[in-house]
Structure formats: C-alpha cells, structure tokens
Amino acid sequence: EVSFSAQATGTRVTARTPRESTGRPELTEAAIVVSGGRGVNGAENFHLIESLADSLGAAVGASRAAVDAGWYPHSSQVGQTGKSVSPQLYIASGISGAIQHRAGMQTSKTIVAINKDAEAPIFDLVDYGVVGDLFQVVPQLTEEINTRKG
C-alpha cells in the first residue's frame, strides 16, 4: 500500500506491476555477474548472456547502450547511471568498457571480457580477455561449463 502526504496533490499511482522472478540472484548481491552490451546486437540475442549466467548461477547485467536500445531492463544496468556491482567474477560480453560502465563494475574481484575488438578499452581493466566473437565464444563457454557440471 502506498500513501502520499497532503503536499503531494499531483501524485497518483497509475499502475502496479509485480517484479517477475527470474530465479537468478539479485544483481547487486550476486557472486557472479554476466553482462551484455552493444555487441550483443539486439534483445533477441540476450538469451546467450542469460544462458551463460544460468550455467554459472549468476545474475545478468547490461551496459547502458543495451538498456537504452531497449534490449534489457533498466533494473539490470551496470554502471555510473545504473547499479554498482562487486562480484567475485564479472564477465563482460560485447561491452566496450566506457568509463561510465567501468565505474559500476571495476571493484569486481576477477574481470573477464569477451570482445572482438582487441583495442576495446575494457581490456585495460580485465584480468582475462578473450578477443573473439561473442556469438562463437559465449555458446562454447556455456556448453563447456554445463559439461563440466555434469
């Protein structure tokens, strides 16, 4: 139930939408975060990021570019104008590494980046970098993790 003070005369509730449970950990509480960016090339491809996250029991994040394009919900945005995360493992897929994004994830213990641009600024920050097409790397990584889990 939401109540407003007498000074809030122009305020009203127009709709309520319950937050859907994804079964994934909360972004800011997760030990592992897998994020996707502009390189994902559309909302229809975010299933690759979600599958990798699910194989690791991770939360899903997104860059501002992906959120602004409408590919993923704003509640999953990592960065200066989104949420700050500090997981044990942060995997950035298709994220260039703009300073605004880095501000939200640079305190992660181990950072892995997957990007086809070897000159992407994200590689200046990472512990491990994979220069490759995320559309090839991420499915192989997900498959290998699932195989090792049994």
Side-chain angles (χ1 to χ4, degrees):
E1 193 64 33
V2 179
S3 60
F4 301 103
S5 70
Q7 288 96 2
T9 57
T11 305
R12 64 184 178 153
V13 176
T14 59
R16 291 177 193 229
T17 307
R19 193 167 106 191
E20 288 184 35
S21 174
T22 62
R24 296 184 188 104
E26 170 59 36
L27 186 59
T28 57
E29 309 284 321
I32 303 171
V33 175
V34 180
S35 288
R38 183 175 289 136
V40 175
N41 289 333
E44 68 277 5
N45 297 323
F46 248 87
H47 70 90
L48 295 170
I49 305 304
E50 292 173 333
S51 294
L52 177 56
D54 291 343
S55 73
L56 293 166
V60 176
S63 70
R64 180 172 180 173
V67 169
D68 285 351
W71 300 345
Y72 222 70
H74 178 72
S75 60
S76 297
Q77 182 179 330
V78 173
Q80 188 174 19
T81 56
K83 294 181 179 175
S84 291
V85 297
S86 191
Q88 293 296 306
L89 174 62
Y90 186 85
I91 301 175
S93 301
I95 296 176
S96 66
I99 192 71
Q100 294 85 353
H101 185 77
R102 293 167 67 151
M105 49 66 79
Q106 64 190 357
T107 59
S108 301
K109 184 166 173 42
T110 302
I111 301 170
V112 177
I114 303 166
N115 198 305
K116 64 182 178 183
D117 178 6
E119 302 298 318
I122 192 82
F123 288 122
D124 295 337
L125 179 68
V126 301
D127 297 292
Y128 301 97
V130 178
V131 178
D133 185 347
L134 74 87
F135 294 100
Q136 294 176 349
V137 175
V138 171
Q140 289 178 32
L141 179 57
T142 304
E143 182 179 336
E144 183 64 23
I145 290 166
N146 287 332
T147 299
R148 289 180 183 229
K149 282 173 44 179

